[in-house]
Amino acid sequence: KTRPEVTKMVAASAIRASGHGFGNLLRGRKARGTVTFTLSALEQKALAGVGAKGLANMFRRLGENAPFVIPGIMSAFCVIHFGQEAFDNNLRKREADFANDQ
């Protein structure tokens, strides 16, 4: 448990450490001609535009990135397939090694 006095002292020292006071992000300058607004996460529509715009945008982006991604995937597949074939081939016994056995 923390004591309220200690919490207040830590918060006050953090505000003083910034040197500009709480909420003064522009360091004393006035922001003119700038309009900012925020929207609470509870007021936003979480799935806005997914059905109409989202799927079309996803397929468009996949089509744009396919020429860069597919060669890497294909080369990785070929290397892995070659390695598995070589491993399986090395597991087999060679008949020539056992030709002289009785």
Side-chain angles (χ1 to χ4, degrees), residues 10-92:
V10 169
S13 65
I15 291 171
R16 275 189 234 107
S18 67
H20 303 290
F22 180 76
N24 194 359
L25 296 176
L26 297 176
R27 299 181 182 178
R29 297 177 297 209
K30 298 286 183 183
R32 296 186 181 176
T34 304
V35 177
T36 60
F37 63 93
T38 59
L39 185 62
S40 170
L42 300 175
E43 296 178 19
Q44 296 180 15
K45 294 181 182 178
L47 300 175
V50 170
K53 299 176 187 174
L55 293 175
N57 193 22
M58 181 185 72
F59 288 122
R60 179 186 59 83
R61 289 182 182 205
L62 286 174
E64 289 176 355
N65 290 324
F68 302 105
V69 175
I70 290 176
I73 292 173
M74 292 299 293
S75 61
F77 173 78
C78 291
V79 168
I80 290 171
H81 183 70
F82 173 77
Q84 286 177 342
E85 290 292 324
F87 178 76
D88 291 340
N89 197 17
N90 287 335
L91 289 178
R92 295 184 187 138

Side-chain angles (χ1 to χ4, degrees), residues 1-12:
K1 293 183 178 182
T2 60
R3 296 189 318 239
E5 308 87 43
V6 174
T7 305
K8 287 179 184 176
M9 290 184 342
V10 169

